[in-house]
Structure formats: C-alpha cells, structure tokens
Amino acid sequence: MRKAIIKIFTLIGVFMIAFCKLYGQDEFQIIQSKIDDHLKAEVKNDLLTSSIAADWPRLQKEGSYADINYSSTIETAWPPLLHLKRLNYLTLAYVIKENKYFNQQEVLAGIISGLRYWYAQNPSSSNWFQNDIAVPTALGEILILLNHNKINFPVFLQDSLLQRMQQGNVYKSIGANKVDIATHMLYRACITKDKTLMATALEQAFYPISFTSKQGLQYDYSYLQHGPQLQIASYGEVFLKGEYKVASWVQGTIFALSADKLKILNNYLINSYLKTIRGRYIDFNTEGRGISRNDILDKKSITESSVNNSLLGLAKKASPENTGLINEAQDRINQIKAPSYKILPSHTHFWKADYTLHTRPTYSFNVRSVSKRTVRAEVGNNENLLGKFLPDGSTNIQRSGAEYFNIMPIWEWDKIPGITSRDYQEDQPFTIEWGERGVGYFTGGVSDSLYGASVYDFNYNEVTAKKAWFFFDKQVVCLGAGINSFATQNIVTTINQSWLKGKVLAYADEKLSRVKSKKSMNNPSWIWHDSIGYYFPDSAQLQITNQKQKGSWAKINANRSKEAIEGKVFKMWFNHGVDPADATYAYIVRPGISQQEMQIDKQQEIKILANSKTLQAVKNEALNILQVVFYEAGVLSDEDITIKVDQPCMVMVKNIDTKNPEIHLADPTQKLKEVNISISSKIMKREDKRLLVLPKDNFAGSTMSYIIN
Ligand code: CA
C-alpha cells in the first residue's frame, strides 16, 4: 500500500517536473505566438499582395532593390528603411496562408538574399531613431515571423542579425522611445529564449507605468510631455497603446505585467483619457499641437471596428475584466449609443496639468489653463501655427461631441472658446517654438470628484484677468474680474466659437428675437444655441456673429492641405473695450436645455455672491453648495454662512444648511504649508476653527476635506 502511494507521488512529481519544463519553454512560445498574430493583423491581405506585386520586380539577385539609395543618411523618410519594410511584407506574405505568395520558395529566397544584403551593407542614418529603433524593430519583426512559423532559415544569418539588433540605450531613453527599444529587446529575447533579457526588456517596457514629477504619467493621473505640457491624448495615447500592446503579448505568462501596474494603466485609460472623449470626439485641449491636424478629434481610430490592434482592442486583451466598460465607450464612439450612454457624473481637477474635466450625462465642460509650473502650448514641426492662446482658460463645451470637430482651420484664434485676449485684426502666429512656461502661480481647482471650482489668474500678452469656473450639475458659472490691459486692441472674453447648428435665439429687455448674422447687445438676459443656454446675470456688451468663416489646414499646419475651407460658425464674446480698468464678466452655461425650457428656467438657484479681483464666490441653493476663490486672505459671508481664511485659497462647502457641513480646500499656488479656516453658520450656531496642514510635494494643490461634527 505504502509503496503504491510512493509510486503515485513519484509519478506525480515526474509529471510536475515535465510539465514545468514544458510550461517554462512555452512561455516564449505563447509570447511569440501573440506577437505573430499582432504582426499578421497589422496589414490587410490585399494591400500586402498589391505592394509586393509592385516591389518584387525591383528586387535584384544580390538582394538589393534597384530604386533604393543605400548610402543615404538623411533623417526622415530614410530610403534604406524601405528595404526592410518590403522584406517585412514579403515575410508576412510568405507566412500568411491566405496570401497568394504563401510558401513560395522564390519569395523565401528573396527574403534571405535581402537580409544578407542588409547585413553586408549595414546602412546607417544620421538620425539616431532610425538606427536605434526603426531598424532593430523591423529586423526583429521579420525574425519573429520566420522563427515562429518555423521557416527554414540560415542559423548563422539569424544570429548575425540578432547581434545587429543590439542598438539603443533602453535605460537612458524615456517614454515611447524606451518602450520601442524594450520591444526590440523583447523580440530578441523571444527568439533566443533568454529569460534574463526578457525580464530586462519588460522591466524597461513597463517602467513608464509609474508616477513621475518629470515627463510622463503624473501623480494626478494626467500625462505631460515636452516639458510639463498637457498631452493626455497625443503622447498619452502613444503611451497607452505601447504599454497595452506589450502587456497583451505577455498576459497569462510568468512575465505578465504586475497587477499594480495594470491597475495604474487601466485607471489612466478609463478615468483620464476616455473621460476627455464625448461621443465620438475628444476635447480639443488634449491633443497638443495635433489640434492642427485634420480629423484628429475623431476617435473612431481607437476602436476595434476601425483597425486591428486598436488601442481599445489591446486594452481589452490586457484586461478582459474591463470589457464591459470598454465596449460602452466603443458604442459611444461608434455612435451606436448616445453620447450620454453609461456616463456617470464626475469632476476632476488635474493639479499637475492645470486642467479640469467636468462630466455629466448631458455634457462635458473642460477647462485648460496654465501657470509657471506648466508649459502653455507648443508650435513645432510647422504644426499648430496659431495656437498661441490655447491655454488661456479655453473651455471645451460638448453635447453631441461634434461641436468643434474640424473647425480649427476656420477658427478666429484670439477667440478660442473661454479665453480672454486682445482682439487682433489678424490671427497672431506663435513666435517661440516648443512651448514656453506660463505666468503666475494662482491656477488650480478644488474638487470632491463630483463638484468643484477652478481658477486661472491670467497674465499674458499684457492682459490680466481673474478667471474662475464654478461647476454644478445643470450648469457651469463662469466669472471674470480684474480685467486690465494697456494694449491698443479691444480686450475680449469669448464665450463660445463652435459650428453653427440651427437657430440662435436672444432674449433681452423682455423681448425674444432670433439672431440673424450679427448682433450687438448691451443687456442680454440669455442666448440659446444648439441646445445650450447662456445666461447673463449682469449687463454686458455682448457680440454675436453667425457667419461664414474661411481658412485652410495649411494656415494652422504647414504640412497640411492648402485647400480653402469654409463653414458657418456661432461666435459669441464680451467686448471689454480698449484699456479696460478692472472690467468683469459673468455668464452661466446651461448645456442640454430646450428653447421652451429657456423661457421658464431663470437659474434662480444660482447666486453670485462676489466677483471682484480679491474674491469670487457662487452658491447653488438647490444643491446647497458654495464655492469660493479667495485671491487674498479674507471673509465671505452671506445670510447662511461665514467663511474666514488667513491665506489665499479655494474653498467649497457642501451641506451648508445642515449642522455638519462638508469642507473642501485647495491651495492653487501649491506653496502653502497650512491655512487657518473658520466656518460659522446659522444652523451650526457656533464657529468651527481649524488649522489645516495642506498636502505637500507631489500632492500640493490637491484638495483636502473634512466634515464639521
Ligand atoms: Ca481677432
């Protein structure tokens, strides 16, 4: 009996060892198989066939292409790289069963002679990227395809090329470059079944999935690149795609991305990046200088229905548990479901990026601003030639999502929605390439992740303004004060500049009228356009145009088409005039309201308690929320509540009419260590005094909260 048991255990042991050995080897097989699938899915079969048909006659016996200059060293569109791209296509065609070149011996002979020729010539570019990333990646892809599909290939040539692939310093590179170099290291590791190399490659590939105060993913879950510059889509999207790609390859193996890092990556995708998309279109603030590229705001390109190996497809593969959430986003982007579908209310202020996201099922209202801590915006590679004023409090107000889609060539660029600026006759070009820092420190936001307020102490181009936004459910209140300038132009604050859609209605002096092509008003009560209401609590010099505007993509991006573009634009702005002295503005944006509701809804729950250069405060009586910007130490008092602070800061009070109000406080300057605050209210019948120690280091500027008991 005992012997039998020992026998069984021995047998199990032998099986275990055999299994582990097999399993250990299989890890590389599994990864290679996923890379193989990925590469095969990159190109459509008919495109593959037609390009090979075109290029095949140019391939000479010695393995070179007649039309390629192999001695070229130019930086971009480097001709020798084309050689590897063609060999890559040949290899794909040779291993894809459905392709007409599948298993054709002369094709394999071509690949081998082509690779031999490359090895002998060893072309080199004066651009490090070609040598350290483009070439080893292309070689690695070819070798993976040959290796995984068990193609009979000279071992000596393979080993020589693997050696040639050892380019680039993965440790010294950052962001996408690091991931790219790590990726070709990973190719080598797969082919040579080198566990140590694989571990190093993955450690480096996944290194950017960690918080940094330099370029990359920030502690507030924003993404900054090219200095501390807002790039949540643009470079942030490249980061997401690169990481999910590698994560999906190694998923389910011993090399898999750690659960902690996967959580960070998913959080960035779901709570930052995807929230900047409304319906099918992304916030124009998130694309960096890419704002000047046509179709960039259309995010169909990240969905599975658009391309193989799409961002959202890879994210699903890497984290199958997020399939539901990702499919909901895809349904909105693909316009199968309404933009409001499964959208939950949320509010985020990114204190590292000076950017605010306010999301409701009926709308998105996001604000971009800037400070000495961040970079304004950039012009570079002849892109974004006119985006100079983009960060000056631009408001992205979306309902359908398409409000600003491809409008940029015909925008008037000193009237970007939300900003305060000089009104020039001609749009002003950027003069400094690759961005400059903002001015001032008092830029920030207070937030409880549902409601919040944001502030931008604006000072640029000899114009100053205290700009603040107060975010609730139904509406966003926008205030400006201390507007000053000695410039010779009119100073204007633009409320919106979007595609004209349907009629524009104006209500003033108790009369309703329809705005035709142009209108100037001194006492507007409200304006309505495209299901968005704009209320004006104070008298104001308001200008509206509903006119055709003209431009071209080349006007804002020298690499793009010169073809003339025109379209009708709804544009509305306050004219503060020339040489304003402490001018102010106030408007309430109410997205998702019908023309009929406008007649009834007077925004009575909104009380603007202060709008000066020292204090701005708004109370929402329906929600029992009070939001205050203290530009200086001071007091805010109304019939219900009194708030005293001994430092400049922002305060939000919820549940004002209870004995237990909830207090949220943030320091926009990110420099304070502590604040003394006292709250007293009619219902509390006492004064609650506290010394608050503020969040520091990477969390300076974030919100701290407490409840008065
Ligand atoms: Ca202008």
Side-chain angles (χ1 to χ4, degrees), residues 312-341:
L312 294 181
L314 293 169
K316 255 163 79 169
K317 271 188 202 161
S319 261
E321 71 277 14
N322 285 332
T323 300
L325 266 172
I326 290 171
N327 284 346
E328 287 164 16
Q330 297 202 105
D331 284 351
R332 292 190 298 268
I333 295 169
N334 290 322
Q335 297 173 310
I336 293 164
K337 292 284 199 285
S340 59
Y341 177 65

Side-chain angles (χ1 to χ4, degrees), residues 25 27-29 31-33 35 39 136-149 153-155 157-163 165 183-195 197-198:
Q25 282 180 350
E27 300 287 287
F28 293 102
Q29 280 301 111
I31 298 169
Q32 251 197 36
S33 159
I35 299 172
L39 297 175
T137 302
L139 286 174
E141 289 178 359
I142 295 167
L143 294 180
I144 286 265
L145 288 167
L146 292 170
N147 192 276
H148 184 71
N149 293 285
F153 183 70
V155 178
L157 182 57
Q158 176 181 284
D159 291 348
S160 309
L161 291 169
L162 282 171
Q163 206 147 24
M165 279 174 65
T183 302
H184 64 67
M185 286 169 74
L186 182 149
Y187 292 156
R188 275 197 292 129
C190 272
I191 296 165
T192 57
K193 298 194 189 298
D194 182 337
K195 271 194 174 175
L197 183 61
M198 179 63 93

Side-chain angles (χ1 to χ4, degrees), residues 558-572:
N559 312 311
R560 302 275 155 160
S561 166
K562 287 187 176 135
E563 191 193 335
I565 291 174
E566 59 174 44
K568 281 199 161 183
V569 174
F570 166 68
K571 189 163 63 186
M572 176 161 67

Side-chain angles (χ1 to χ4, degrees), residues 5 71 87 259 266 291 340 406 457 514 544 553 628 690 699:
I5 290 173
S71 58
L87 293 188
N266 286 334
I291 190 175
S340 59
N406 280 346
D457 191 355
R514 190 169 165 181
I544 303 173
W553 286 102
V628 192
R690 294 178 193 227
F699 294 89

Side-chain angles (χ1 to χ4, degrees), residues 403-656:
E403 285 79 358
Y404 309 106
F405 176 54
N406 280 346
I407 198 175
M408 284 74 206
I410 64 167
W411 249 0
E412 183 184 353
W413 284 82
D414 53 21
K415 292 202 180 78
I416 295 164
I419 71 165
T420 299
S421 168
R422 302 193 204 184
D423 187 0
Y424 293 94
Q425 285 291 320
E426 297 288 331
D427 288 327
Q428 296 295 295
F430 251 123
T431 45
I432 300 165
E433 279 212 320
W434 304 114
E436 58 179 318
R437 292 270 177 155
V439 176
Y441 287 95
F442 205 81
T443 296
V446 62
S447 165
D448 74 335
S449 79
L450 203 52
Y451 302 98
S454 294
V455 69
Y456 174 32
D457 191 355
F458 162 68
N459 180 357
Y460 186 67
N461 200 25
E462 293 167 18
V463 186
T464 62
K466 311 279 185 197
K467 293 170 76 71
W469 298 264
F470 303 82
F471 301 89
F472 304 106
D473 286 324
K474 286 183 176 172
Q475 62 280 86
V476 178
V477 181
C478 311
L479 299 182
I483 300 169
N484 292 293
S485 180
F486 295 121
T488 51
Q489 293 84 4
N490 275 326
I491 305 303
V492 296
T493 296
T494 301
I495 299 159
N496 213 340
Q497 187 182 188
S498 64
W499 291 114
L500 178 67
K501 199 174 162 207
K503 60 190 167 191
V504 178
L505 297 175
Y507 192 77
D509 302 323
E510 289 173 29
K511 262 184 261 157
L512 184 66
S513 63
R514 190 169 165 181
V515 180
K516 294 285 165 52
S517 73
K518 209 172 171 181
K519 199 175 178 91
S520 176
M521 305 165 85
N522 285 320
N523 272 313
S525 295
W526 54 256
I527 303 292
W528 180 86
H529 166 248
D530 193 14
S531 78
I532 303 173
Y534 305 86
Y535 293 83
F536 302 94
D538 304 328
S539 61
Q541 230 274 298
L542 189 74
Q543 310 277 339
I544 303 173
T545 57
N546 298 322
Q547 290 170 338
K548 208 178 263 178
Q549 294 185 188
K550 292 177 183 174
S552 70
W553 286 102
K555 195 178 109 182
I556 58 171
N557 185 329
N559 312 311
R560 302 275 155 160
S561 166
K562 287 187 176 135
E563 191 193 335
I565 291 174
E566 59 174 44
K568 281 199 161 183
V569 174
F570 166 68
K571 189 163 63 186
M572 176 161 67
W573 67 98
F574 293 115
N575 181 10
H576 310 298
V578 177
D579 202 9
D582 282 343
T584 62
Y585 65 79
Y587 61 99
I588 302 166
V589 182
R590 166 77 165 90
I593 188 167
S594 71
Q595 170 189 339
Q596 289 73 25
E597 286 170 291
M598 285 301 287
Q599 321 266 7
I600 310 155
D601 192 340
K602 301 273 194 288
Q603 299 297 315
Q604 269 157 341
E605 69 267 36
I606 298 296
K607 297 281 182 273
I608 297 171
L609 303 180
N611 185 22
S612 74
K613 60 183 176 182
T614 56
L615 189 67
Q616 288 169 321
V618 177
K619 190 173 173 185
N620 185 317
E621 291 187 334
L623 295 172
N624 264 311
I625 298 176
L626 170 62
Q627 297 171 350
V628 192
V629 183
F630 289 100
Y631 290 91
E632 296 171 357
V635 182
L636 180 104
S637 197
D638 81 336
E639 71 268 22
D640 295 324
I641 192 164
T642 298
I643 307 170
K644 260 187 247 172
V645 291
D646 71 341
Q647 299 285 349
C649 63
M650 301 179 76
V651 178
M652 172 163 73
V653 184
K654 294 175 81 176
N655 307 328
I656 306 166

